[in-house]
Amino acid sequence: GLPGSITGIHFSSASTGYMVGGSGTFVKYQSELEPEYQASDLVFDEVYANSMRLSYTASPDIPTGYLAIRKATSAPTTDPLDGIEYTVGQTLGDGTVVFKGNSTSFSQTALTAGVTYHYKIYAFNGSGNAINYKADQPLTGSEATYVTGAPW
């Protein structure tokens, strides 16, 4: 997002994060470059009726971290927006933010038995209003919790 105090923008570049104002001055509104690669190889394990663990291979870019969005029964459709730092538990479009951090695994608890949960995981760089998500081709996957108890 653009700060509200800037007026008379003649040119802005999403790729470089620079804007040229009315007086010809350069203003940097996005101080971090977008990661070039997403994480890969999503694995679901320790799947039970009410919990599961997700793990994945880190992006070779070594991004600041990863943001995971979950939705029950179908894939979430809303991507995170650059310049907005989301928090775990926050609604994001039709999904919910369920993980934010630099770990390559996280656990999910308090899930409903017998439901398929869909995930999208985005690499990002930066923080605060300089946060920059790689919104295209997030790591995706889904897994169903068991109807009851453990799988054995």
Side-chain angles (χ1 to χ4, degrees):
L2 305 178
S5 61
I6 298 173
T7 57
I9 301 301
H10 295 292
F11 169 81
S12 67
S13 169
S15 61
T16 65
Y18 282 98
M19 296 181 296
V20 179
S23 61
T25 56
F26 284 87
V27 177
K28 183 80 165 143
Y29 68 91
Q30 188 171 284
S31 62
E32 294 290 340
L33 291 176
E34 179 179 287
E36 190 173 351
Y37 300 102
Q38 300 281 17
S40 58
D41 304 319
L42 180 60
V43 174
F44 295 88
D45 58 14
E46 299 173 24
V47 178
Y48 300 101
N50 305 114
S51 63
M52 65 177 73
R53 190 169 75 91
L54 289 76
S55 59
Y56 39 89
T57 302
S59 164
D61 288 341
I62 313 172
T64 302
Y66 304 95
L67 184 80
I69 301 167
R70 181 184 78 208
K71 184 176 182 238
T73 71
S74 64
T77 59
T78 306
D79 295 323
L81 297 174
D82 292 343
I84 299 174
E85 189 159 6
Y86 299 95
T87 56
V88 171
Q90 185 173 354
T91 298
L92 178 54
D94 58 359
T96 303
V97 175
V98 294
F99 174 78
K100 178 177 173 261
N102 60 10
S103 175
T104 54
S105 68
F106 61 94
S107 293
Q108 295 282 269
T109 58
L111 301 176
T112 302
V115 171
T116 300
Y117 289 95
H118 297 256
Y119 293 84
K120 286 187 175 179
I121 300 171
Y122 302 83
F124 69 85
N125 280 325
S127 62
N129 60 11
I131 199 164
N132 192 342
Y133 301 95
K134 179 165 179 62
D136 60 315
Q137 299 180 313
L139 179 60
T140 61
S142 63
E143 184 67 49
T145 51
Y146 288 99
V147 175
T148 182
W152 54 84

